[in-house]
Amino acid sequence: MTAVQEQEPMPTTGPLETEPFEYRPRKSRIGAWIGAAVAFFGFTALSFTLGTTTVEGGAVTVADQAAMIGLGVVGAGIALSFLRLRVRADAKGIEVRNVTGTRFFPWQVVTAINFTDKMTWATVELADDDEMSIMAIQVSDKDRAVTAIKHLRALLEQSRS
């Protein structure tokens, strides 16, 4: 039995003047929400099971419980940072948003967009022999990721003609 896959139509590659292509990962977004919930609710539950004293006789206060909940909030925030992952492309170039930052590359400096079976996520290869990961296009998204790569490569080819 196979899992039911939600089919989201990917835009077809037309002239570069059309609206920008945007892609966000699906499975890592689901994982981010699950991780955030586990972190928040896990630390919150842990804060209420601490008891009133430690093994050595120290007191567990409300501030300690609040700190544990705060750790859950921080953990949830870190997990939710993976919701930022996105790649956008239009006639001007490609914009890559990873966990920590966003970079824009005009098509003139992009030499290739790589995604092999040995990679966890795609990369954009630049003219100065530098590479940047496109964390939004992940191997876990399978056919959706392949379709996105084909679309980005078609936009790159159109920009060269």
Side-chain angles (χ1 to χ4, degrees):
M1 177 183 266
T2 60
V4 176
Q5 294 180 349
E6 182 181 338
Q7 294 296 323
E8 180 180 306
M10 298 299 282
T12 59
T13 306
L16 287 176
E17 291 80 29
T18 62
E19 65 181 70
F21 170 75
E22 183 173 309
Y23 179 83
R24 292 175 183 263
R26 177 170 291 143
K27 291 189 178 180
S28 69
R29 292 175 65 83
I30 294 168
W33 282 110
I34 291 170
V38 167
F40 178 74
F41 292 116
F43 275 94
T44 300
L46 183 63
S47 74
F48 290 110
T49 61
L50 290 175
T52 57
T53 60
T54 64
V55 175
E56 274 116 35
V60 176
T61 64
V62 174
D64 296 323
Q65 290 177 318
M68 288 297 285
I69 294 171
L71 286 174
V73 169
V74 169
I78 291 170
L80 290 176
S81 68
F82 285 88
L83 295 177
R84 291 179 38 86
L85 302 179
R86 180 188 73 202
V87 61
R88 263 191 199 153
D90 59 12
K92 297 174 186 167
I94 183 169
E95 179 187 74
V96 178
R97 182 191 291 171
N98 288 334
V99 174
T100 58
T102 303
R103 299 271 313 265
F104 177 80
F105 304 105
W107 288 121
Q108 293 81 13
V109 301
V110 176
T111 59
I113 297 174
N114 299 317
F115 191 49
T116 65
D117 57 349
K118 296 177 183 174
M119 295 177 157
T120 304
W121 46 70
T123 60
V124 59
E125 189 176 314
L126 306 173
D128 63 355
D129 291 332
D130 198 10
E131 281 187 349
M132 181 169 181
S133 298
I134 307 174
M135 294 177 70
I137 302 177
Q138 303 174 358
V139 71
S140 62
D141 280 339
K142 298 179 183 166
D143 291 337
R144 286 186 76 242
V146 171
T147 304
I149 285 294
K150 287 179 180 178
H151 193 90
L152 289 174
R153 286 178 178 163
L155 286 173
L156 176 60
E157 287 303 315
Q158 283 182 11
S159 72
R160 292 180 177 168
S161 56

